[in-house]
Protein backbone atom coordinates (compact mmCIF):
# COMPACT_ATOMS: atom_id res chain seq x y z
CA UNK A 1 0.00 0.00 0.00
CA UNK A 2 1.47 3.32 -1.08
CA UNK A 3 2.19 5.70 1.78
CA UNK A 4 1.11 9.32 1.66
CA UNK A 5 3.89 11.79 1.09
CA UNK A 6 4.69 13.81 4.22
CA UNK A 7 3.15 17.24 4.29
CA UNK A 8 5.51 20.02 3.38
CA UNK A 9 6.67 22.37 6.11
CA UNK A 10 4.82 25.29 4.50
CA UNK A 11 1.50 23.39 4.58
CA UNK A 12 2.06 22.37 8.19
CA UNK A 13 2.78 25.98 9.17
CA UNK A 14 -0.47 27.13 7.57
CA UNK A 15 -2.48 24.34 9.19
CA UNK A 16 -1.00 25.04 12.63
CA UNK A 17 -1.36 28.82 12.27
CA UNK A 18 -5.03 28.47 11.33
CA UNK A 19 -5.64 26.37 14.44
CA UNK A 20 -3.80 28.81 16.71
CA UNK A 21 -5.49 31.87 15.21
CA UNK A 22 -8.88 30.19 15.61
CA UNK A 23 -8.27 29.09 19.20
CA UNK A 24 -6.52 32.14 20.62
CA UNK A 25 -7.20 34.99 18.19
CA UNK A 26 -4.82 36.21 15.49
CA UNK A 27 -3.61 39.27 17.49
CA UNK A 28 -2.44 36.97 20.31
CA UNK A 29 -0.27 34.71 18.15
CA UNK A 30 3.22 35.71 17.01
CA UNK A 31 5.58 34.06 14.57
CA UNK A 32 7.69 33.05 17.58
CA UNK A 33 4.73 31.15 19.03
CA UNK A 34 4.12 29.46 15.69
CA UNK A 35 7.78 28.46 15.33
CA UNK A 36 7.85 27.09 18.90
CA UNK A 37 4.68 25.08 18.31
CA UNK A 38 6.14 23.76 15.06
CA UNK A 39 9.42 22.94 16.84
CA UNK A 40 11.38 24.78 14.17
CA UNK A 41 13.64 27.82 14.32
CA UNK A 42 12.28 31.29 13.51
CA UNK A 43 14.72 31.34 10.59
CA UNK A 44 13.12 28.21 9.16
CA UNK A 45 9.69 29.82 9.52
CA UNK A 46 10.87 32.99 7.75
CA UNK A 47 12.26 30.88 4.93
CA UNK A 48 8.64 29.99 4.09
CA UNK A 49 6.87 33.21 5.17
CA UNK A 50 8.24 36.73 5.42
CA UNK A 51 6.12 37.65 8.45
CA UNK A 52 2.79 36.92 10.15
CA UNK A 53 0.83 38.93 7.58
CA UNK A 54 2.26 36.65 4.89
CA UNK A 55 0.86 33.67 6.81
CA UNK A 56 -2.53 35.37 7.25
CA UNK A 57 -2.67 36.26 3.56
CA UNK A 58 -1.79 32.69 2.54
CA UNK A 59 -4.58 31.30 4.74
CA UNK A 60 -6.92 33.87 3.22
CA UNK A 61 -6.07 32.61 -0.26
CA UNK A 62 -7.27 29.16 0.82
CA UNK A 63 -10.42 30.63 2.38
CA UNK A 64 -11.15 32.74 -0.68
CA UNK A 65 -10.81 29.75 -3.02
CA UNK A 66 -13.22 27.69 -0.91
CA UNK A 67 -15.81 30.42 -0.55
CA UNK A 68 -15.71 31.28 -4.25
CA UNK A 69 -16.50 27.65 -5.06
CA UNK A 70 -19.37 27.76 -2.61
CA UNK A 71 -20.85 31.09 -3.73
CA UNK A 72 -22.65 29.70 -6.74
CA UNK A 73 -26.33 29.18 -7.48
CA UNK A 74 -27.68 26.01 -9.15
CA UNK A 75 -27.09 26.08 -12.90
CA UNK A 76 -29.96 25.50 -15.30
CA UNK A 77 -32.76 25.86 -12.75
CA UNK A 78 -34.16 28.18 -10.13
CA UNK A 79 -33.07 27.80 -6.51
CA UNK A 80 -35.52 26.35 -4.00
CA UNK A 81 -35.82 26.28 -0.21
CA UNK A 82 -33.62 23.18 0.09
CA UNK A 83 -30.90 25.05 -1.82
CA UNK A 84 -31.16 28.00 0.57
CA UNK A 85 -31.05 25.74 3.64
CA UNK A 86 -28.02 23.81 2.31
CA UNK A 87 -26.26 27.01 1.25
CA UNK A 88 -26.58 28.49 4.74
CA UNK A 89 -25.30 25.35 6.45
CA UNK A 90 -22.27 25.17 4.16
CA UNK A 91 -21.64 28.88 4.65
CA UNK A 92 -21.64 28.60 8.43
CA UNK A 93 -19.38 25.54 8.33
CA UNK A 94 -16.88 27.52 6.27
CA UNK A 95 -17.16 30.53 8.57
CA UNK A 96 -16.36 28.24 11.51
CA UNK A 97 -13.40 26.65 9.72
CA UNK A 98 -11.86 30.12 9.20
CA UNK A 99 -13.50 31.79 12.19
CA UNK A 100 -10.58 34.00 13.17
CA UNK A 101 -11.19 36.10 10.04
CA UNK A 102 -14.69 36.83 11.30
CA UNK A 103 -13.91 37.15 14.99
CA UNK A 104 -10.92 39.47 14.43
CA UNK A 105 -12.37 41.06 11.29
CA UNK A 106 -12.21 44.75 12.21
CA UNK A 107 -8.67 44.49 13.56
CA UNK A 108 -7.43 42.56 10.52
CA UNK A 109 -9.00 44.90 7.99
CA UNK A 110 -7.64 47.99 9.74
CA UNK A 111 -4.04 46.89 9.11
CA UNK A 112 -4.20 44.65 6.07
CA UNK A 113 -5.15 46.40 2.83
CA UNK A 114 -5.31 43.17 0.82
CA UNK A 115 -7.81 41.60 3.21
CA UNK A 116 -9.82 44.83 3.26
CA UNK A 117 -10.28 44.86 -0.51
CA UNK A 118 -10.87 41.15 -0.93
CA UNK A 119 -13.26 40.82 2.00
CA UNK A 120 -15.35 43.67 0.60
CA UNK A 121 -15.61 41.74 -2.64
CA UNK A 122 -16.62 38.58 -0.77
CA UNK A 123 -19.37 40.43 1.10
CA UNK A 124 -20.66 41.91 -2.15
CA UNK A 125 -20.66 38.44 -3.72
CA UNK A 126 -22.52 36.98 -0.74
CA UNK A 127 -25.21 39.66 -1.04
CA UNK A 128 -25.50 38.99 -4.77
CA UNK A 129 -26.01 35.27 -4.17
CA UNK A 130 -28.53 35.90 -1.37
CA UNK A 131 -30.45 38.25 -3.65
CA UNK A 132 -30.42 35.67 -6.45
CA UNK A 133 -31.76 32.98 -4.13
CA UNK A 134 -34.60 35.27 -3.04
CA UNK A 135 -35.39 36.31 -6.61
CA UNK A 136 -35.53 32.65 -7.67
CA UNK A 137 -38.02 31.92 -4.91
CA UNK A 138 -40.07 34.91 -6.01
CA UNK A 139 -40.00 33.82 -9.65
CA UNK A 140 -41.56 30.48 -8.78
CA UNK A 141 -44.22 32.14 -6.62
CA UNK A 142 -42.76 30.96 -3.33
CA UNK A 143 -41.78 34.38 -2.03
CA UNK A 144 -43.77 37.59 -2.10
CA UNK A 145 -41.56 40.68 -1.84
CA UNK A 146 -40.58 43.72 -3.87
CA UNK A 147 -37.09 44.51 -5.12
CA UNK A 148 -36.35 46.84 -2.20
CA UNK A 149 -37.47 44.22 0.32
CA UNK A 150 -35.34 41.55 -1.34
CA UNK A 151 -32.36 43.89 -1.34
CA UNK A 152 -32.80 44.56 2.37
CA UNK A 153 -33.25 40.85 3.13
CA UNK A 154 -30.12 39.90 1.19
CA UNK A 155 -28.04 42.49 3.05
CA UNK A 156 -29.48 41.56 6.44
CA UNK A 157 -28.84 37.87 5.83
CA UNK A 158 -25.17 38.55 5.08
CA UNK A 159 -24.76 40.93 8.03
CA UNK A 160 -26.18 38.39 10.50
CA UNK A 161 -24.10 35.52 9.05
CA UNK A 162 -20.91 37.62 9.09
CA UNK A 163 -21.18 38.69 12.73
CA UNK A 164 -23.02 35.71 14.19
CA UNK A 165 -19.94 34.13 15.77
CA UNK A 166 -19.04 37.43 17.43
CA UNK A 167 -22.54 37.55 18.90
CA UNK A 168 -22.26 33.96 20.12
CA UNK A 169 -18.87 34.68 21.68
CA UNK A 170 -20.25 37.64 23.63
CA UNK A 171 -23.31 35.59 24.56
CA UNK A 172 -21.30 32.77 26.10
CA UNK A 173 -17.51 33.14 25.86
CA UNK A 174 -16.76 30.32 28.32
CA UNK A 175 -18.37 27.75 26.02
CA UNK A 176 -17.03 29.17 22.77
CA UNK A 177 -14.66 26.26 22.15
CA UNK A 178 -16.98 23.44 23.27
CA UNK A 179 -17.88 21.17 20.37
CA UNK A 180 -21.62 20.80 21.08
CA UNK A 181 -22.06 24.44 22.06
CA UNK A 182 -20.54 25.55 18.77
CA UNK A 183 -22.59 23.06 16.75
CA UNK A 184 -25.71 24.52 18.37
CA UNK A 185 -24.47 28.07 17.77
CA UNK A 186 -23.90 27.45 14.06
CA UNK A 187 -27.30 25.79 13.70
CA UNK A 188 -28.92 28.76 15.43
CA UNK A 189 -27.13 31.06 13.02
CA UNK A 190 -28.55 29.18 10.02
CA UNK A 191 -32.03 29.34 11.50
CA UNK A 192 -31.70 33.03 12.40
CA UNK A 193 -30.71 33.95 8.84
CA UNK A 194 -33.36 31.76 7.26
CA UNK A 195 -36.07 33.11 9.55
CA UNK A 196 -35.79 36.46 7.76
CA UNK A 197 -37.47 34.85 4.78
CA UNK A 198 -40.34 33.37 6.79
CA UNK A 199 -42.80 36.31 6.63
CA UNK A 200 -42.43 36.50 2.83
CA UNK A 201 -42.82 32.80 1.97
CA UNK A 202 -45.99 31.39 0.47
CA UNK A 203 -47.61 28.02 -0.37
CA UNK A 204 -45.67 24.77 -0.26
CA UNK A 205 -42.39 26.58 0.37
CA UNK A 206 -43.80 28.16 3.53
CA UNK A 207 -44.99 24.74 4.68
CA UNK A 208 -41.52 23.28 3.99
CA UNK A 209 -39.88 26.17 5.84
CA UNK A 210 -42.10 25.59 8.86
CA UNK A 211 -41.36 21.86 8.83
CA UNK A 212 -37.60 22.42 8.58
CA UNK A 213 -37.80 25.02 11.35
CA UNK A 214 -39.80 22.74 13.64
CA UNK A 215 -37.38 19.86 13.07
CA UNK A 216 -34.44 22.14 13.75
CA UNK A 217 -35.89 23.66 16.94
CA UNK A 218 -36.77 20.20 18.28
CA UNK A 219 -33.09 19.18 18.10
CA UNK A 220 -31.79 22.16 20.06
CA UNK A 221 -31.45 22.20 23.85
CA UNK A 222 -34.28 24.14 25.48
CA UNK A 223 -32.05 27.06 26.50
CA UNK A 224 -30.54 27.27 23.00
CA UNK A 225 -33.91 27.41 21.27
CA UNK A 226 -35.00 30.53 23.13
Amino acid sequence: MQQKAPRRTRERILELSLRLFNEFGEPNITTTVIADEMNISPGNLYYHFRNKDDIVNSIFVQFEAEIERMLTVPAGRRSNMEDVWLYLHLMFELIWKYRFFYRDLNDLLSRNRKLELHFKAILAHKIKVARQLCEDLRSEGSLEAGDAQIGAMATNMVVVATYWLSYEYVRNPRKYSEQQAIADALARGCYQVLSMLGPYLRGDTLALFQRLSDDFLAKLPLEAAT
Side-chain angles (χ1 to χ4, degrees), residues 38 71 106:
M38 282 283 298
L71 287 175
N106 292 351

Side-chain angles (χ1 to χ4, degrees), residues 143-192:
L143 183 142
E144 190 175 302
D147 290 343
Q149 290 171 312
I150 285 179
M153 270 192 290
T155 299
N156 290 341
M157 290 167 74
V158 172
V159 169
V160 172
T162 300
Y163 290 99
W164 185 256
L165 288 183
S166 295
Y167 165 76
E168 286 289 349
Y169 181 78
V170 173
R171 184 172 177 268
N172 205 341
R174 295 183 185 276
K175 291 188 175 182
Y176 190 77
S177 59
E178 294 181 10
Q179 190 80 17
Q180 188 57 52
I182 286 304
D184 292 342
L186 296 179
R188 279 196 303 274
C190 292
Y191 172 75
Q192 198 71 26

Side-chain angles (χ1 to χ4, degrees), residues 76-103:
R77 65 173 177 85
R78 294 191 180 101
S79 305
N80 54 40
M81 180 52 63
E82 286 95 341
D83 293 323
V84 178
W85 189 267
L86 177 62
Y87 167 77
L88 287 174
H89 277 79
L90 293 175
M91 174 63 72
F92 272 96
E93 286 177 6
L94 190 61
I95 288 174
W96 177 249
K97 180 178 178 181
Y98 294 96
R99 58 192 175 275
F100 84 92
F101 284 126
Y102 290 83
R103 187 177 60 185

Side-chain angles (χ1 to χ4, degrees), residues 9-10 13 16-17 30-52 54-55:
T9 301
R10 176 183 173 86
I13 291 172
L16 173 68
S17 298
T30 64
T31 52
T32 301
V33 170
I34 296 170
D36 286 345
E37 287 287 328
M38 282 283 298
N39 197 26
I40 61 175
S41 68
N44 194 351
L45 179 71
Y46 292 132
Y47 173 80
H48 298 280
F49 299 98
R50 297 187 302 276
N51 48 43
K52 189 172 76 168
D54 195 14
I55 296 175

Side-chain angles (χ1 to χ4, degrees), residues 164-222:
W164 185 256
L165 288 183
S166 295
Y167 165 76
E168 286 289 349
Y169 181 78
V170 173
R171 184 172 177 268
N172 205 341
R174 295 183 185 276
K175 291 188 175 182
Y176 190 77
S177 59
E178 294 181 10
Q179 190 80 17
Q180 188 57 52
I182 286 304
D184 292 342
L186 296 179
R188 279 196 303 274
C190 292
Y191 172 75
Q192 198 71 26
V193 172
L194 194 62
S195 67
M196 296 180 191
L197 298 177
Y200 301 94
L201 297 177
R202 301 293 182 266
D204 292 341
T205 298
L206 175 58
L208 174 60
F209 165 76
Q210 290 172 334
R211 187 169 72 250
L212 289 171
S213 298
D214 290 343
D215 290 345
F216 159 75
L217 291 173
K219 295 175 183 177
L220 278 184
L222 182 60

